[in-house]
Structure formats: C-alpha cells, structure tokens
C-alpha cells in the first residue's frame, strides 16, 4: 500500500541555519504530496503542496520540490526562526481528488536561540 | 467565520462507556475526515466521507462508528471505550484543491 517515510524524528538547530526535512513516498498512483505543520497544542495546517514533477513550490520561506524519479518531497528553509519550532508532517494523497491520505510519522523541529 | 469546529474539546471517561464527538465545517467542502493522533503524535486516517457517503474506512475497531447527517457534519461515536482509545481525534474537511483543514481536536482520556 501507499506509504510515507520521514527519517528524522527530531531535528535541533540554531536560529539562522538552513534545514532540510526528508520525505520519501511509495505509491502506485499519481502522487499528490503535502507538508503540514503543527505547532504545540494546535491543529495541523497546510504549509505547501505539489503534484508537479520537478517544480519548486514555496510558502512562508519554506520550499520543496517533488521529484518523482526519486519519490521525494523534502522540505527546506534557508534560515530557520524560533517560530519554526513545530511538528512537520509529510502526507500523500492518492492523486488529485483522491480520498485516501497517508501521513508520515512526523519530524519535530526545535530551533534554539 | 468559516472553519472546522469540534466539540467537546476534552472528554474524560471510564472504560466501557460510550462517547460521541461532533464536527461541523462551514467551509462548504464535500469531503470530511476523522483522524486519530496518538501520544506519539502519529496521525492516522480513520474515516472519510464525501457528501454524507462513507468513502474510506480504514481498519479501526468496530466500536468506532461515524455518522453524517449532511456534508457539513461528521460525528464519531465510540461504543465501548478502551484505554488505547485515549488520543486526540481530529476532524478535517477537504477543499477541491485537496488541502485539508483541521479542527482543533477532541482530546479523549480513558481511565
């Protein structure tokens, strides 16, 4: 079945440094990938999404590129801020309009001063 | 205000009791979901409804049953709660652009 793998459970960084959170997936459908961010005691919110191969998508300083050849959708930011401390989920939908959604296990990002 | 609303925020109950959670969305979406987020923060889809019809029913115990009166409402009933049901239950609705909008969640504690 479909799956999403996030290899890092916890990433700790100092403010101002770059970050990359890994996300790889497996599916037999045309993939629709998402990054959701969940701050402490809040609901997950969409950060960015893509279904277009090799096209960079950006939002709030974060960016990601869907690479179908390597089944990856890594999340990056060039300079993290304290407010970026949160739980980040990569998610896969079974195609545009698909009803099934699979979430990765999440990566907690902790940014220190 | 358009959003996803859930009640109650928090519920404490004992093993064997029945509980019900409510979810309402005012976003005009056709598709709604129930997710379970456990203590390790893992998010797992439980059910998906499209316009009152059950579309996705993941492997969940039979004591869980979703109910939808119309496309804006999706409730969840747990017939006889077990300790492992302690979790945060998140309701979400989905736009045509596939983005999911989550409610604030209902935290269930089973003693």
């Amino acid at each position: 079945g479909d799956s999403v793998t996030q290899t890092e459970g916890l990433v700790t960084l100092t403010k101002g440094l770059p970050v990359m959170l890994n996300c790889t997936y497996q599916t037999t459908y045309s993939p629709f990938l998402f990054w959701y961010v969940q701050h402490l005691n809040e609901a997950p919110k969409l950060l960015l999404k893509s279904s277009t191969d090799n096209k960079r998508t950006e939002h709030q300083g974060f960016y990601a590129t869907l690479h179908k050849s390597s089944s990856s959708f890594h999340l990056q930011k060039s300079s993290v801020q304290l407010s970026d401390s949160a739980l980040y989920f990569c998610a896969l939908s079974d195609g545009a309009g698909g009803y099934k959604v699979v979430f990765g296990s999440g990566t907690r990002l902790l940014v220190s001063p | 205000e358009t959003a996803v609303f859930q009640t109650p925020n928090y519920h404490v109950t004992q093993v064997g009791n029945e509980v019900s959670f409510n979810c309402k969305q005012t976003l005009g979406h056709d598709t709604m979901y129930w997710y379970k987020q456990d203590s390790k923060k893992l998010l797992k889809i439980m059910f998906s409804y499209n316009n009152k019809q059950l579309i996705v029913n993941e492997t969940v115990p039979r004591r869980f049953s979703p109910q939808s009166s119309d496309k804006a409402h999706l409730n969840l009933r747990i017939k006889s709660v077990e300790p492992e049901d302690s979790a945060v239950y998140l309701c979400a609705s989905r736009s045509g652009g596939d983005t999911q909008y989550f409610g604030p969640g209902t935290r269930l504690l089973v003693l």
Side-chain angles (χ1 to χ4, degrees), chain A residues 11-23:
Chain A
V11 173
T12 56
L13 282 173
T14 303
K15 182 179 73 170
L17 289 178
V19 66
M20 184 169 86
L21 306 183
N22 290 314
C23 173

PDB file of all heavy atoms in Angstrom, chain A residues 11-23:
ATOM      1  N   VAL A  11      14.815  17.119  14.830  1.00  0.00           N
ATOM      2  CA  VAL A  11      15.903  17.918  14.284  1.00  0.00           C
ATOM      3  C   VAL A  11      16.059  19.145  15.167  1.00  0.00           C
ATOM      4  O   VAL A  11      15.088  19.875  15.393  1.00  0.00           O
ATOM      5  CB  VAL A  11      15.606  18.344  12.829  1.00  0.00           C
ATOM      6  CG1 VAL A  11      16.662  19.323  12.336  1.00  0.00           C
ATOM      7  CG2 VAL A  11      15.546  17.125  11.914  1.00  0.00           C
ATOM      8  N   THR A  12      17.258  19.349  15.680  1.00  0.00           N
ATOM      9  CA  THR A  12      17.523  20.528  16.510  1.00  0.00           C
ATOM     10  C   THR A  12      18.543  21.406  15.806  1.00  0.00           C
ATOM     11  O   THR A  12      19.568  20.927  15.322  1.00  0.00           O
ATOM     12  CB  THR A  12      18.045  20.133  17.900  1.00  0.00           C
ATOM     13  OG1 THR A  12      19.216  19.320  17.734  1.00  0.00           O
ATOM     14  CG2 THR A  12      17.014  19.341  18.655  1.00  0.00           C
ATOM     15  N   LEU A  13      18.231  22.694  15.760  1.00  0.00           N
ATOM     16  CA  LEU A  13      19.066  23.639  15.029  1.00  0.00           C
ATOM     17  C   LEU A  13      19.119  24.964  15.757  1.00  0.00           C
ATOM     18  O   LEU A  13      18.215  25.290  16.530  1.00  0.00           O
ATOM     19  CB  LEU A  13      18.468  23.914  13.639  1.00  0.00           C
ATOM     20  CG  LEU A  13      18.669  22.883  12.535  1.00  0.00           C
ATOM     21  CD1 LEU A  13      17.847  23.279  11.334  1.00  0.00           C
ATOM     22  CD2 LEU A  13      20.143  22.788  12.172  1.00  0.00           C
ATOM     23  N   THR A  14      20.160  25.716  15.459  1.00  0.00           N
ATOM     24  CA  THR A  14      20.268  27.083  15.970  1.00  0.00           C
ATOM     25  C   THR A  14      19.635  28.036  14.957  1.00  0.00           C
ATOM     26  O   THR A  14      19.740  27.817  13.738  1.00  0.00           O
ATOM     27  CB  THR A  14      21.739  27.459  16.193  1.00  0.00           C
ATOM     28  OG1 THR A  14      22.320  26.497  17.085  1.00  0.00           O
ATOM     29  CG2 THR A  14      21.870  28.851  16.801  1.00  0.00           C
ATOM     30  N   LYS A  15      19.008  29.043  15.471  1.00  0.00           N
ATOM     31  CA  LYS A  15      18.368  30.060  14.629  1.00  0.00           C
ATOM     32  C   LYS A  15      19.327  30.566  13.561  1.00  0.00           C
ATOM     33  O   LYS A  15      20.507  30.807  13.829  1.00  0.00           O
ATOM     34  CB  LYS A  15      17.933  31.225  15.537  1.00  0.00           C
ATOM     35  CG  LYS A  15      17.209  32.343  14.830  1.00  0.00           C
ATOM     36  CD  LYS A  15      16.810  33.427  15.810  1.00  0.00           C
ATOM     37  CE  LYS A  15      18.016  34.238  16.254  1.00  0.00           C
ATOM     38  NZ  LYS A  15      17.620  35.442  17.031  1.00  0.00           N
ATOM     39  N   GLY A  16      18.786  30.706  12.339  1.00  0.00           N
ATOM     40  CA  GLY A  16      19.576  31.250  11.252  1.00  0.00           C
ATOM     41  C   GLY A  16      20.208  30.205  10.345  1.00  0.00           C
ATOM     42  O   GLY A  16      20.661  30.528   9.246  1.00  0.00           O
ATOM     43  N   LEU A  17      20.226  28.957  10.809  1.00  0.00           N
ATOM     44  CA  LEU A  17      20.819  27.892   9.993  1.00  0.00           C
ATOM     45  C   LEU A  17      19.798  27.324   9.011  1.00  0.00           C
ATOM     46  O   LEU A  17      18.596  27.430   9.224  1.00  0.00           O
ATOM     47  CB  LEU A  17      21.333  26.773  10.904  1.00  0.00           C
ATOM     48  CG  LEU A  17      22.569  27.101  11.740  1.00  0.00           C
ATOM     49  CD1 LEU A  17      22.935  25.923  12.624  1.00  0.00           C
ATOM     50  CD2 LEU A  17      23.744  27.511  10.857  1.00  0.00           C
ATOM     51  N   PRO A  18      20.282  26.681   7.925  1.00  0.00           N
ATOM     52  CA  PRO A  18      19.360  26.046   6.977  1.00  0.00           C
ATOM     53  C   PRO A  18      18.887  24.693   7.496  1.00  0.00           C
ATOM     54  O   PRO A  18      19.569  24.063   8.319  1.00  0.00           O
ATOM     55  CB  PRO A  18      20.228  25.880   5.723  1.00  0.00           C
ATOM     56  CG  PRO A  18      21.610  25.758   6.255  1.00  0.00           C
ATOM     57  CD  PRO A  18      21.674  26.611   7.477  1.00  0.00           C
ATOM     58  N   VAL A  19      17.746  24.255   6.975  1.00  0.00           N
ATOM     59  CA  VAL A  19      17.208  22.959   7.394  1.00  0.00           C
ATOM     60  C   VAL A  19      16.644  22.224   6.179  1.00  0.00           C
ATOM     61  O   VAL A  19      16.175  22.841   5.218  1.00  0.00           O
ATOM     62  CB  VAL A  19      16.088  23.138   8.445  1.00  0.00           C
ATOM     63  CG1 VAL A  19      14.870  23.828   7.858  1.00  0.00           C
ATOM     64  CG2 VAL A  19      15.704  21.805   9.074  1.00  0.00           C
ATOM     65  N   MET A  20      16.754  20.905   6.228  1.00  0.00           N
ATOM     66  CA  MET A  20      16.080  20.062   5.261  1.00  0.00           C
ATOM     67  C   MET A  20      15.459  18.884   6.003  1.00  0.00           C
ATOM     68  O   MET A  20      16.154  18.165   6.718  1.00  0.00           O
ATOM     69  CB  MET A  20      17.024  19.538   4.176  1.00  0.00           C
ATOM     70  CG  MET A  20      16.284  18.736   3.113  1.00  0.00           C
ATOM     71  SD  MET A  20      17.242  18.333   1.657  1.00  0.00           S
ATOM     72  CE  MET A  20      18.042  16.823   2.170  1.00  0.00           C
ATOM     73  N   LEU A  21      14.162  18.722   5.836  1.00  0.00           N
ATOM     74  CA  LEU A  21      13.436  17.606   6.432  1.00  0.00           C
ATOM     75  C   LEU A  21      13.096  16.636   5.311  1.00  0.00           C
ATOM     76  O   LEU A  21      12.506  17.018   4.305  1.00  0.00           O
ATOM     77  CB  LEU A  21      12.161  18.094   7.124  1.00  0.00           C
ATOM     78  CG  LEU A  21      12.331  19.196   8.160  1.00  0.00           C
ATOM     79  CD1 LEU A  21      10.983  19.516   8.816  1.00  0.00           C
ATOM     80  CD2 LEU A  21      13.361  18.835   9.203  1.00  0.00           C
ATOM     81  N   ASN A  22      13.471  15.386   5.524  1.00  0.00           N
ATOM     82  CA  ASN A  22      13.324  14.395   4.457  1.00  0.00           C
ATOM     83  C   ASN A  22      11.934  13.789   4.388  1.00  0.00           C
ATOM     84  O   ASN A  22      11.298  13.534   5.421  1.00  0.00           O
ATOM     85  CB  ASN A  22      14.343  13.274   4.655  1.00  0.00           C
ATOM     86  CG  ASN A  22      15.745  13.739   4.395  1.00  0.00           C
ATOM     87  OD1 ASN A  22      16.017  14.408   3.409  1.00  0.00           O
ATOM     88  ND2 ASN A  22      16.659  13.413   5.297  1.00  0.00           N
ATOM     89  N   CYS A  23      11.500  13.536   3.158  1.00  0.00           N
ATOM     90  CA  CYS A  23      10.234  12.854   2.924  1.00  0.00           C
ATOM     91  C   CYS A  23      10.347  12.034   1.651  1.00  0.00           C
ATOM     92  O   CYS A  23      10.658  12.574   0.585  1.00  0.00           O
ATOM     93  CB  CYS A  23       9.092  13.849   2.793  1.00  0.00           C
ATOM     94  SG  CYS A  23       7.518  13.093   2.305  1.00  0.00           S
TER      95      CYS A  23
END
